[in-house]
Amino acid sequence: MNHFDFVIIGSGIAGLYSAILARKHGSVLIITKGSIEDCNTRYAQGGIAAAIGKNDSPTLHFKDTIAAGDGLCDKEAARILVNEAPERIAELVRLGVPFDTLYGEIALTREAAHSVSRVVHAGGDATGQHIEVTLSNLVRSLKAQILEHSLATRILVKKGIVSGVKVLNCHTGGTEEFSCRFLILATGGAGQLFKFTTNSAVATGDGLALAYDAGAEIIDMEFYQFHPTALHLPGVTPFLISEAVRGEGGILRNIKGHHFMPDYTSDSDLAPRDIVARSIIHEMRKTKSDKAFIDVTHLPAHTITTRFPNIYHFCREHGLDITRDLLPVAPAAHYMIGGIKTNIWGETNIPGLFACGETACVGVHGANRLASNSLLEAVVFSKRIIQRASGQVKIEEQATTQGLADMRTTLSRRQAQRKVPPPRLAALQTLLWNKVGIIRNKEGLTQAADTLASWQKLLPQPTTRPTYELSNLLLTGRLVVEAALLREESRGAHFRTDFPKTSPQRQGHLVFNKSTIHP
Ligand code: SIN
């Protein structure tokens, strides 16, 4: 059978949760370019934020979300996020996700920029892994069809409406088409744009590139979130050291042993991520080092090993005992805040095309995502997609009122530069890290924009998974760079030394589409 009611691309929390809900309303096909377990969700440590604690409320969660978002959150979407959070957690519990408990209640931890402890977790710091295993087992038992090692390469659109998707079999190189009523993109982010990232190798902007090519609008791409603390060891892929480690009392020191965060902000080690990441970079530059340290040696060893078993064992395997040793850390690319523009029902501007999870941007994160709001966003808006697609909810209004102005734009046409070598993934990642990373300016952004445009022209027609991934990353990178150039201010995760202040005149969104200029 090549026709399905729902085709879902991606097998992280957004894809799997959508599939479980969609299965009640029709046939479901999940397409994933690796095996079903290959996704970023698996690596999520911190957890899911929800106002379920006694001293908490959705209003307080809303306030923290809006404050982190630095003037760009869509308030209607953020209100939905925090109001629907407790019910989504209850549903995950019903589905079997084994969240940690304390005295019979779900245990809550604190993360940066949350005013109270409100982050639920599983297996200590193995939240993503537990969610992934629980949901993928359920999907298998529900007889949703799963097509592994298959990469979606084109969205098929007939008379302006999504009709299906073209897929590459990554093993045989053959292609196949599937038709559907609803196509849901849940492909995750694009951390592989950067030399240092906490993301897995699958995070290559695939859904974003597919949607852009099909004519979908892309929003807020200049806001790429860098996690302040990834383990920094020579030759070891960056490994996330959860913000919850600081939430439980961990502190940051520079290589001279100085606890530096109080020098930057009264929120100290629990300031919003962008501030902590930039402070670490400043300290690294000041001390001429490529790292800082996170110190938990003052906490009881038992607390560390039971609360962070994953981190403890990973560090142990690399010769570090976190109960005694300081952990070398540095910032790394972590989360794509912008993405495929959707309304509060996960709909894009193309009828039949939905997006959820990291590849989507409904506006809940604004310019800077509050910790542990991402898995939450995935479940809240996946649910709403299925409600909308299955006709459970009839809506009058077509789109969320993005509270602030949108500035529509297209990728600039840039002159090809001479003597540019053919693009390679490592060169792309180094370029983005150096010129489009945590601290940006016009000169570096312009160099990056010109180089990416030249590379894009040199890129042959992709035929294999790696060549498609490189092509998707190039397009995603161009969208990030062009947006970063256009936003002449600093706000949230976007910081420019040539425009170091936030400008009230620029409190709007940059929306790209490919309507006139082709890259
Ligand atoms: C973390 O555990 O620090 C990551 C959580 C998140 O990105 O929301």
Side-chain angles (χ1 to χ4, degrees):
M1 182 177 81
N2 270 353
H3 178 82
F4 293 83
D5 295 307
F6 298 86
V7 169
I8 298 169
I9 319 274
S11 61
I13 185 171
L16 296 176
Y17 189 68
S18 300
I20 290 163
L21 302 178
R23 192 65 192 93
K24 296 185 187 136
H25 303 282
S27 54
V28 174
L29 171 68
I30 300 176
I31 296 173
T32 179
K33 67 181 176 180
S35 70
I36 195 162
E37 286 84 14
D38 290 340
C39 64
N40 243 352
T41 297
R42 171 167 286 270
Y43 302 96
Q45 293 180 3
I48 309 185
I52 59 173
K54 290 198 178 63
N55 56 349
D56 200 2
S57 67
T59 307
L60 206 52
H61 188 182
F62 177 78
K63 252 178 79 191
D64 292 343
T65 300
I66 297 294
D70 208 0
L72 283 193
C73 292
D74 179 311
K75 292 198 172 135
E76 186 188 9
R79 222 167 253 120
I80 289 168
L81 179 84
V82 298
N83 286 339
E84 296 186 7
E87 181 46 36
R88 293 289 73 73
I89 297 297
E91 193 159 65
L92 288 173
V93 170
R94 286 196 293 277
L95 293 177
V97 177
F99 290 120
D100 295 334
T101 55
L102 190 65
Y103 308 121
E105 310 253 332
I106 290 188
L108 298 171
T109 193
R110 180 107 186 253
E111 287 189 76
H114 286 275
S115 49
V116 296
S117 294
R118 67 161 68 95
V119 177
V120 307
H121 45 88
D125 56 358
T127 311
Q129 198 178 328
H130 281 286
I131 292 173
E132 186 66 22
V133 168
T134 308
L135 298 188
S136 56
N137 285 342
L138 258 174
V139 160
R140 285 194 187 96
S141 73
L142 291 173
K143 298 200 172 66
Q145 291 217 29
I146 303 163
L147 195 63
E148 295 180 302
H149 307 289
S150 300
L151 179 74
T153 56
R154 189 149 56 88
I155 294 173
L156 307 173
V157 179
K158 267 195 206 137
K159 297 191 181 147
I161 300 174
V162 163
S163 61
V165 64
K166 185 171 178 182
V167 171
L168 171 80
N169 180 320
C170 300
H171 287 326
T172 65
T175 59
E176 206 173 347
E177 290 186 1
F178 297 91
S179 64
C180 60
R181 288 170 62 208
F182 307 108
L183 181 63
I184 303 176
L185 298 175
T187 49
Q192 289 302 321
L193 278 173
F194 297 93
K195 183 171 170 187
F196 299 108
T197 177
T198 60
N199 290 186
S200 71
V202 298
T204 53
D206 304 334
L208 191 101
L210 279 176
Y212 176 87
D213 278 335
E217 292 182 327
I218 310 293
I219 188 169
D220 287 348
M221 289 302 287
E222 63 276 37
F223 301 110
Y224 216 103
Q225 185 169 66
F226 292 83
H227 197 287
T229 55
L231 188 65
H232 189 78
L233 289 174
V236 178
T237 308
F239 176 80
L240 183 65
I241 304 296
S242 176
E243 204 157 62
V245 171
R246 279 173 286 128
E248 298 283 348
I251 58 173
L252 287 162
R253 298 187 185 280
N254 67 17
I255 54 156
K256 295 185 172 154
H258 175 57
H259 176 208
F260 58 83
M261 278 312 299
D263 305 344
Y264 291 90
T265 155
S266 56
D267 292 332
S268 192
D269 298 273
L270 288 181
R273 274 185 191 174
D274 59 314
I275 296 174
V276 180
R278 283 198 296 276
S279 306
I280 292 176
I281 294 287
H282 282 134
E283 287 297 311
M284 283 163 47
R285 286 184 181 167
K286 215 161 80 183
T287 57
K288 298 193 174 36
S289 174
D290 60 352
K291 57 181 170 293
F293 290 105
I294 191 157
D295 181 2
V296 291
T297 56
H298 52 288
L299 301 179
H302 178 72
T303 307
I304 298 168
T305 52
T306 51
R307 188 57 195 82
F308 303 110
N310 219 7
I311 295 174
Y312 175 77
H313 288 297
F314 187 90
C315 292
R316 229 28 241 245
E317 281 163 25
H318 292 86
L320 290 164
D321 176 352
I322 64 171
T323 65
R324 294 152 183 254
D325 302 323
L326 302 188
L327 287 187
V329 290
H334 185 58
Y335 188 84
M336 185 171 78
I337 294 173
I340 305 162
K341 184 173 186 288
T342 72
N343 66 12
I344 53 171
W345 298 99
E347 293 170 298
T348 69
N349 57 312
I350 304 176
L353 181 65
F354 296 78
C356 53
E358 190 171 345
T359 195
C361 181
V362 62
V364 291
H365 307 309
N368 193 23
R369 178 177 66 89
L370 187 66
S372 290
N373 265 356
S374 50
L375 296 180
L376 176 61
E377 181 202 10
V379 287
V380 165
F381 290 95
S382 299
K383 171 90 177 182
R384 293 174 72 85
I385 286 175
I386 304 306
Q387 288 175 325
R388 174 74 179 124
S390 63
Q392 291 172 67
V393 180
K394 299 268 181 282
I395 49 169
E396 310 306 326
E397 80 274 28
Q398 265 312 293
T400 176
T401 42
Q402 293 272 355
L404 305 155
D406 283 350
M407 290 164 272
R408 265 145 230 287
T409 184
T410 53
L411 287 186
S412 343
R413 197 192 300 276
R414 289 180 181 275
Q415 291 302 319
Q417 295 197 326
R418 268 182 271 143
K419 291 196 186 150
V420 175
R424 282 181 188 276
L425 179 60
L428 171 88
Q429 292 170 327
T430 301
L431 179 77
L432 269 282
W433 181 259
N434 290 340
K435 309 288 184 197
V436 199
I438 300 167
I439 295 178
R440 304 165 170 178
N441 62 38
K442 182 172 182 177
E443 198 191 341
L445 290 171
T446 308
Q447 280 172 22
D450 291 346
T451 307
L452 290 180
S454 307
W455 280 345
Q456 207 175 28
K457 291 199 176 87
L458 291 173
L459 203 68
Q461 176 60 35
T463 49
T464 60
R465 174 174 161 178
T467 53
Y468 272 107
E469 288 179 333
L470 183 59
S471 164
N472 294 340
L473 282 170
L474 265 173
L475 174 60
T476 308
R478 287 205 64 201
L479 291 163
V480 174
V481 175
E482 297 289 345
L485 259 174
L486 284 170
R487 185 169 290 282
E488 294 185 330
E489 64 162 350
S490 291
R491 185 187 289 278
H494 170 71
F495 184 82
R496 285 184 56 164
T497 50
D498 46 351
F499 296 98
K501 294 216 162 70
T502 302
S503 156
Q505 285 77 42
R506 293 186 181 270
Q507 196 181 352
H509 300 270
L510 288 163
V511 183
F512 283 87
N513 59 54
K514 66 171 216 176
S515 59
T516 52
I517 298 182
H518 294 265

